[in-house]
Amino acid sequence: MFVLCNQNKELVSYRAINRPDITDTEMETVMDTIVDSLFCFFVTLGAVPIIRCSRGTAAEMVAVKLDKKLRENLRDARNSLFTGDTLGAGQFSFQRPLLVLVDRNIDLATPLHHTWTYQALVHDVLDFHLNRVNLEESSGLENSPAGARPKRKNKKSYDLTPVDKFWQKHKGSPFPEVAESVQQELESYRAQEDEVKRLKSIMGLEGEDEGAISMLSDNTAKLTSAVSSLPELLEKKRLIDLHTNVATAVLEHIKARKLDVYFECEEKIMSKTTLDKSLLDIISDPDAGTPEDKMRLFLIYYISTQQPPSEADLEQYKKALTDAGCDLNPLQYIKQWKAFAKMASAPASYGNTTTKSMGLLSRVMNTGSQFVMEGVKNLVLKQQNLPVTRILDNLMEMKSNPETDDYRYFDPKMLRGNDSSVPRNKNPFQEAIVFVVGGGNYIEYQNLVDYIKGKQGKHILYGCSELFNAAQFLKQLSQLGQK
């Protein structure tokens, strides 16, 4: 996964690209910034991609410019960046990679969607940026005398990196599984810790009496192994503490905001299944979620329905949203976007699978567990391909599909840049890069990771012009919707 231009992400944000008052020169600047970054990315990769993109979108502008830039660089053989040494990097595969450029506007529901996997949840509800999560720990008011100032909250930072084996293994798992795994790790650690404590007490004997010396000699072998496993144990303990803290913080949000209810409800809306509880009831329920959660839910409903609600119904929803304290600007923007998109194409479909609830957590519910998941649904995810994954699958596997049949085709290595949408390459691709112009999120990333698991020998990279969570995306929609 890669993200462009972290220093000045305002410049390439969804809002910057979709501003109604953007001038042509400003748009050129935005596109050039994205193209320069992508060009550097492919030079580093040491590969010249075959480019596919949808028509009539910002993604098409990026594709045209990138094709031109790659072509110009390849034409000047003496100064080309794609010769000699650099190309060695790309030689692990004889086939060129496919670059699929998609526009954020093909799917506005996913970035607003409440999620259920660990990494995406951390990004959604906590302060998570550049693989670092910042938590506030309240030190509580216990034992402080009356009238004392409340204690300051401690801020803690944790790095969630590929070195962290637990994170690597579970970042894509549904949250209840993560809670269960943390608990299991803790139990296995405690068993090992007891053994080390026993041996430590033996080490602590200063050899004043004969018995200690003879005991030491018997335990030398055990001690050696205990000492060598100490650093490993301490690291294990650090990771368990880290994930206990992070998962507890996430769990507090899930409970306080009923995120499991939102997640299940949105999955049903996106897969056109009937809801157990009406949308108005959830929006009007003062205990369910923040105003932001309610707005996200309603926008997903508004984006996903074929038939927008009648004016009278919309007024009723608007009133409920206003009463719940929601900012209605994002809805203004989505309304305009939908009217515009309607002329262009039908809304994205999200497959028709649903999550199934498994009642309460089985083992985590035991009394000794750190995570009391009472009242939280244990939702099991069924694999479904999101629009970006489906587009990639069609293009990578060379499937014919109305959704992607008119995608443009560029091959910067062809001498004459005649654009035809007829791919010369008839074989399925082994490597692909999906790049979302206008911003991406961990939900899409995870969906691609799950998709590629079943495809042997294939590699996918997911890139985006910025990585936002739902709150950041909602803020951009709100700015776009302001009069």
Side-chain angles (χ1 to χ4, degrees):
M1 181 181 198
F2 65 98
V3 183
L4 304 189
C5 194
N6 233 309
Q7 290 75 19
N8 188 5
K9 61 171 191 244
E10 284 300 302
L11 178 66
V12 292
S13 66
Y14 178 82
R15 175 176 171 247
I17 298 170
N18 291 280
R19 266 181 27 223
D21 57 346
I22 191 166
T23 62
D24 287 355
T25 34
E26 285 173 322
M27 193 64 165
E28 290 283 322
T29 312
V30 175
M31 294 298 126
D32 286 340
T33 309
I34 294 177
V35 168
D36 289 348
S37 305
L38 280 173
F39 177 76
C40 298
F41 172 77
F42 282 106
V43 170
T44 311
L45 207 62
V48 181
I50 285 169
I51 308 169
R52 303 293 305 266
C53 69
S54 53
R55 294 174 185 272
T57 58
E60 183 180 26
M61 295 166 77
V62 171
V64 172
K65 280 177 174 287
L66 182 62
D67 175 61
K68 182 168 176 254
K69 194 169 173 102
L70 287 165
R71 193 179 290 284
E72 283 167 0
N73 190 269
L74 289 164
R75 190 180 300 140
D76 179 2
R78 279 178 309 185
N79 296 321
S80 170
L81 293 163
F82 289 96
T83 50
D85 309 340
T86 52
L87 280 177
Q91 279 175 354
F92 53 89
S93 150
F94 289 109
Q95 206 191 24
R96 287 162 60 195
L98 169 72
L99 168 65
V100 180
L101 287 166
V102 291
D103 196 279
R104 180 70 276 158
N105 282 323
I106 59 154
D107 172 14
L108 288 183
T110 301
L112 294 166
H113 189 14
H114 287 86
T115 173
W116 202 233
T117 56
Y118 191 28
Q119 183 176 34
L121 264 169
V122 169
H123 189 228
D124 189 9
V125 302
L126 304 177
D127 172 12
F128 181 50
H129 181 61
L130 295 177
N131 294 340
R132 170 168 288 183
V133 63
N134 298 308
L135 292 182
E136 276 198 353
E137 294 189 331
S138 50
S139 40
L141 292 173
E142 308 84 40
N143 314 334
S144 57
R149 280 195 304 198
K151 291 184 184 168
R152 288 230 330 268
K153 289 188 168 183
N154 300 330
K155 274 196 172 353
K156 281 212 164 173
S157 292
Y158 300 109
D159 289 334
L160 298 172
T161 59
V163 183
D164 179 340
K165 290 194 178 70
F166 187 89
W167 178 247
Q168 281 306 90
K169 188 175 172 190
H170 293 291
K171 62 184 182 182
S173 308
F175 185 73
E177 270 180 37
V178 176
E180 194 160 349
S181 303
V182 174
Q183 194 59 32
Q184 285 166 355
E185 291 279 322
L186 192 59
E187 281 158 18
S188 82
Y189 168 77
R190 279 183 184 148
Q192 278 176 289
E193 192 185 35
D194 290 343
E195 174 64 4
V196 171
K197 272 188 185 152
R198 201 176 65 73
L199 290 165
K200 264 188 173 169
S201 68
I202 297 168
M203 283 172 86
L205 294 171
E206 294 309 341
E208 275 126 16
D209 57 349
E210 309 284 300
I213 308 260
S214 62
M215 263 175 80
L216 271 176
S217 57
D218 296 342
N219 282 298
T220 309
K222 279 188 184 172
L223 274 173
T224 316
S225 75
V227 170
S228 62
S229 66
L230 260 177
E232 201 181 304
L233 259 181
L234 292 171
E235 176 60 9
K236 197 170 182 183
K237 175 81 169 82
R238 186 186 72 81
L239 291 183
I240 292 169
D241 289 346
L242 183 162
H243 288 287
T244 303
N245 292 340
V246 172
T248 307
V250 171
L251 181 60
E252 281 167 11
H253 278 275
I254 293 176
K255 285 181 169 173
R257 291 161 55 184
K258 298 195 177 168
L259 297 184
D260 49 337
V261 176
Y262 278 94
F263 169 70
E264 193 178 22
C265 188
E266 288 164 1
E267 286 277 308
K268 285 181 174 166
I269 291 171
M270 287 162 86
S271 58
K272 315 269 185 286
T273 325
T274 46
L275 298 176
D276 313 337
K277 197 175 174 185
S278 85
L279 209 55
L280 260 178
D281 286 351
I282 299 178
I283 294 169
S284 314
D285 178 354
D287 297 332
T290 59
E292 203 176 78
D293 291 325
K294 295 177 183 194
M295 196 66 207
R296 283 162 66 179
L297 173 68
F298 183 71
L299 288 179
I300 288 174
Y301 160 71
Y302 194 85
I303 292 165
S304 305
T305 54
Q306 299 284 0
Q307 209 47 48
S310 66
E311 275 306 314
D313 284 353
L314 191 58
E315 282 311 313
Q316 205 182 350
Y317 280 124
K318 274 183 169 173
K319 184 182 179 320
L321 288 164
T322 312
D323 292 347
C326 298
D327 161 20
L328 292 183
N329 282 329
L331 180 59
Q332 273 308 110
Y333 174 72
I334 294 289
K335 238 174 123 174
Q336 294 159 2
W337 168 80
K338 186 141 181 163
F340 180 73
K342 201 172 178 183
M343 299 187 292
S345 64
S349 72
Y350 296 89
N352 51 5
T353 52
T354 51
T355 52
K356 50 182 195 296
S357 169
M358 298 225 336
L360 282 175
L361 288 186
S362 44
R363 290 228 297 286
V364 179
M365 283 309 296
N366 66 22
T367 45
S369 169
Q370 187 115 24
F371 299 96
V372 184
M373 303 283 277
E374 227 158 344
V376 176
K377 295 182 178 184
N378 183 11
L379 299 163
V380 176
L381 298 176
K382 276 194 187 171
Q383 184 52 28
Q384 60 188 31
N385 285 344
L386 292 172
V388 169
T389 310
R390 271 207 319 276
I391 289 167
L392 175 85
D393 179 51
N394 292 340
L395 296 172
M396 204 173 171
E397 301 295 340
M398 293 300 191
K399 295 176 180 170
S400 175
N401 187 307
E403 198 174 18
T404 49
D405 281 348
D406 72 333
Y407 267 48
R408 289 185 67 178
Y409 178 96
F410 297 91
D411 183 348
K413 279 193 170 177
M414 296 299 255
L415 286 173
R416 275 179 303 287
N418 57 344
D419 161 47
S420 78
S421 46
V422 183
R424 326 268 178 300
N425 180 346
K426 290 281 180 272
N427 302 328
F429 286 87
Q430 293 303 307
E431 287 167 30
I433 295 108
V434 196
F435 186 81
V436 188
V437 178
N441 54 71
Y442 282 117
I443 306 176
E444 263 167 5
Y445 164 72
Q446 193 52 51
N447 197 250
L448 286 162
V449 169
D450 294 339
Y451 158 79
I452 206 73
K453 273 180 191 158
K455 314 263 176 213
Q456 271 191 318
K458 300 210 170 198
H459 300 282
I460 297 181
L461 280 166
Y462 174 74
C464 47
S465 47
E466 62 168 329
L467 183 69
F468 44 50
N469 64 15
Q472 292 157 341
F473 186 48
L474 206 54
K475 188 175 167 192
Q476 292 193 30
L477 294 180
S478 175
Q479 291 165 335
L480 285 166
Q482 281 164 1
K483 285 278 193 295

